[in-house]
Amino acid sequence: MLDLLAQPGIQSHDQWQVQIQAQTQQRADVYVFAVGLCDEEIRSALFTPVRDLPHSLLTIPILAKPDQRVDLPNNKEIPMTDYSPKPEHKFTFGLWTVGSRGADPFGSATREYRTPAELVYLLGEVGAYGVNFHDNDLIPIDATPAEAEDIKKEFRKALTDTGLVVPMATTNLFSDPIFKDGAFTSNDPRVRVYALQKMMNAIDLGVEFGAKIYVFWGGREGTETDSSKSAIESIKRSREALNFLCDYTLEKRYDLKFALEAKPNEPRADIYNPTTGHMLAFISTLDHPEMVGVNPEVAHEHMVGINFMHGVAQAWEAGKLFHIDLNDQYPGRYDQDLRFGSRDIKAAFFLVKFLEDVGYTGSRHFDAHAYRTEDFDGVKDFARGCMRTYLILKEKAAQFNADKEIQSLLAEIHADDGKMNPYFGAYTPQKAALLKAHVFDRSAIARRGLRYERLDQLTIDLLLGVRG
Ligand code: NOJ
Ligand code: MG
Ligand code: MG
């Protein structure tokens, strides 16, 4: 056989290759880019020839579908066009997100109820990595112990069947009427201790399913009228509760960190610790600040019109970015929880670029829900869309970092001849004296154009797909 193959001009298909080709082509159109074979030869092997690869990739219809895989030659010049989610992307959704039934303050549910296990299968189908839950997303607040066991069993089976994991869990301290005036900050002491009891049970539940991050979102921790509560007392009550729960977690030896999520308003007129920055300051006052970080949410900061990425960067720089809630939001409106990247593409781009550039390794959690107009196919479109947009923006970020014109412009913008170096760094009296004596040519410095218009237009061109 080896002798046969060694003969010049021998051409013999291995029958296994032929079988594999036949099986593949029952399920897929196969496009072949080959140097050294003419189109006729490729067609005679039942493949479709491709000549101009980047152009052809844009015209092959199958690439428009999010869950299709495309194998490309190892050519760095060719953009990545495979936007299918993989476990390493760490895309997660809450049971409350894909399980949202579309109710709003003006209308009731438009989608039927799905069990937690059914939602896990849905997430498995769209390619998510993990699923997160509030205690009562999984176990209704009034469930009997036997009912709870049945639900957990079914949920665990769905996790095993799909391979999904539970990286984060959280507690619902906002839906039940008992929390109408808050949980840890309620004026009723019975509510404050009930909240602690509910938290401990919910932490146990999260840990049982493997959660390593525990999110605290105090949606009801606020006021409609400031005549009702002391803002200082509320901060103290929140601190005491957090300290209690840190000690509970430490005593139980749980491998768990807390992530505090800020929101300025809704459902309360005003919520305490309204931004990620407030949360960071609050964390530094806790007994165990090392086990507490933040869970910033795009929508919660865009509601008040502030730059979300800046808050995320501050959290990251402080070593406190434990988790992140991705979605979208028009500023100045009620909490919309829109599909990630569907409103402000530029802000989403700089956020994804930030997370990828710094090497954030936590979950990319989508805390959003499908439009009320959708059925469950639309919910899948929504979930796929969140992940696809993230991956497209990730690719755009890599393009930005590799774009020669953008990078040389940045190098020009950040140019530093080192002449000011003697004045930077720690204070010394000598340095201060030297600096006081330095003469600056203010107008010459101010005259320099910074070329940010050009840089931003290059970014826009890149995002709009007309670069490279
Ligand atoms: C529901 C809130 O809308 C969301 O923003 C938060 O992340 C989760 N609850 C977690 O508590
Ligand atoms: Mg959130
Ligand atoms: Mg939200």
Side-chain angles (χ1 to χ4, degrees):
M1 182 69 172
L2 284 175
D3 289 340
L4 180 73
L5 288 174
Q7 283 172 24
I10 185 78
Q11 288 188 350
S12 165
H13 280 293
D14 181 298
Q15 65 152 319
W16 290 110
Q17 285 180 351
V18 173
Q19 282 201 24
I20 288 167
Q21 180 183 342
Q23 282 173 16
T24 305
Q25 288 187 283
Q26 276 175 0
R27 303 178 60 191
D29 297 330
V30 181
Y31 295 76
V32 172
F33 172 81
V35 180
L37 287 179
C38 69
D39 287 3
E40 218 26 67
E41 286 171 310
I42 295 173
R43 274 199 200 94
S44 71
L46 305 176
F47 296 119
T48 308
V50 166
R51 285 288 152 216
D52 170 1
L53 198 47
H55 177 259
S56 303
L57 287 173
L58 296 175
T59 57
I60 297 171
I62 208 164
L63 297 183
K65 294 184 190 164
D67 53 354
Q68 301 290 344
R69 225 173 62 81
V70 181
D71 289 322
L72 293 174
N74 187 18
N75 180 346
K76 292 202 177 74
E77 298 301 312
I78 296 165
M80 175 184 88
T81 45
D82 176 5
Y83 304 121
S84 50
K86 302 193 176 62
E88 66 263 27
H89 299 135
K90 302 238 180 102
F91 290 139
T92 65
F93 291 82
L95 284 179
W96 70 96
T97 65
V98 284
S100 161
R101 301 180 58 200
D104 68 19
F106 298 93
S108 51
T110 59
R111 290 186 283 271
E112 74 272 22
Y113 172 76
R114 293 266 167 116
T115 66
E118 286 169 338
L119 295 171
V120 170
Y121 289 114
L122 181 150
L123 287 173
E125 192 183 328
V126 298
Y129 159 75
V131 58
N132 305 317
F133 57 76
H134 297 88
D135 50 352
N136 303 136
D137 296 338
L138 187 60
I139 317 272
I141 197 163
D142 290 325
T144 64
E147 285 164 349
E149 282 315 310
D150 286 348
I151 295 169
K152 286 201 267 183
K153 205 168 142 196
E154 208 190 327
F155 184 65
R156 199 178 290 287
K157 179 172 183 317
L159 292 174
T160 309
D161 289 348
T162 56
L164 261 75
V165 293
V166 177
M168 177 272 263
T170 183
T171 315
N172 185 328
L173 295 179
F174 43 89
S175 293
D176 194 86
I178 193 174
F179 298 122
K180 64 187 176 189
D181 189 30
F184 303 146
T185 65
S186 167
N187 274 330
D188 186 332
R190 293 168 303 176
V191 176
R192 297 204 296 275
V193 293
Y194 172 66
L196 281 179
Q197 183 202 66
K198 192 170 193 289
M199 280 287 327
M200 289 189 290
N201 290 332
I203 287 175
D204 294 346
L205 180 69
V207 169
E208 185 181 337
F209 281 95
K212 296 276 190 288
I213 297 289
Y214 208 85
V215 162
F216 287 69
W217 176 65
R220 299 272 176 201
E221 312 292 13
T223 60
E224 279 70 47
T225 167
D226 282 332
S227 55
S228 65
K229 276 184 196 174
S230 154
I232 289 187
E233 202 49 44
S234 294
I235 291 294
K236 287 185 172 157
R237 286 171 177 171
S238 303
R239 180 183 301 119
E240 192 177 290
L242 258 299
N243 286 339
F244 183 98
L245 294 166
C246 281
D247 279 330
Y248 173 75
T249 302
L250 289 168
E251 197 233 338
K252 288 274 179 187
R253 297 179 173 275
Y254 288 155
D255 177 16
L256 192 67
K257 286 189 164 183
F258 293 173
L260 312 187
E261 178 176 344
K263 189 175 180 187
N265 60 272
E266 203 203 8
R268 298 309 294 265
D270 290 293
I271 300 176
Y272 297 119
N273 277 327
T275 67
T276 298
H278 289 78
M279 283 299 184
L280 288 170
F282 174 67
I283 290 168
S284 66
T285 71
L286 298 175
D287 286 350
H288 296 286
E290 72 288 349
M291 66 181 281
V292 186
V294 289
N295 176 40
E297 172 170 322
V298 178
H300 294 179
E301 317 257 336
H302 282 190
M303 281 170 76
V304 274
I306 55 181
N307 186 313
F308 179 68
M309 188 271 278
H310 291 186
V312 169
Q314 190 173 352
W316 173 264
E317 202 272 340
K320 292 293 180 196
L321 188 64
F322 288 6
H323 199 262
I324 193 161
D325 278 5
L326 302 172
N327 54 12
D328 218 339
Q329 169 79 29
Y330 285 80
R333 304 200 187 171
Y334 63 94
D335 185 15
Q336 295 170 308
D337 288 337
L338 297 170
R339 190 178 74 255
F340 177 62
S342 61
R343 204 283 301 184
D344 190 339
I345 295 178
K346 197 166 149 187
F349 166 70
F350 283 116
L351 174 64
V352 171
K353 180 167 165 5
F354 177 84
L355 295 174
E356 297 301 321
D357 283 353
V358 298
Y360 169 75
T361 55
S363 293
R364 274 82 171 155
H365 172 69
F366 297 105
D367 189 3
H369 47 73
Y371 304 144
R372 190 164 182 264
T373 49
E374 303 308 289
D375 58 12
F376 274 95
D377 283 335
V379 172
K380 289 181 209 164
D381 290 337
F382 147 80
R384 288 188 173 115
C386 286
M387 298 185 283
R388 179 174 172 82
T389 299
Y390 188 100
L391 291 175
I392 294 170
L393 292 176
K394 180 177 168 176
E395 180 185 281
K396 295 280 179 196
Q399 279 177 14
F400 182 101
N401 292 341
D403 187 300
K404 289 202 178 77
E405 190 176 354
I406 290 176
Q407 291 309 314
S408 75
L409 202 48
L410 281 171
E412 187 187 321
I413 287 164
H414 295 151
D416 183 348
D417 59 9
K419 286 195 183 135
M420 294 297 117
N421 284 355
Y423 303 127
F424 288 121
Y427 175 85
T428 66
Q430 295 77 3
K431 203 183 270 183
L434 212 60
L435 179 50
K436 276 188 162 180
H438 190 103
V439 179
F440 291 92
D441 184 348
R442 283 192 353 266
S443 12
I445 295 172
R447 256 196 313 274
R448 178 185 165 218
L450 298 184
R451 312 208 57 202
Y452 294 173
E453 282 288 0
R454 175 80 188 138
L455 180 62
D456 190 65
Q457 187 57 42
L458 289 174
T459 309
I460 294 291
D461 280 8
L462 189 142
L463 289 178
L464 295 182
V466 296
R467 266 191 91 65

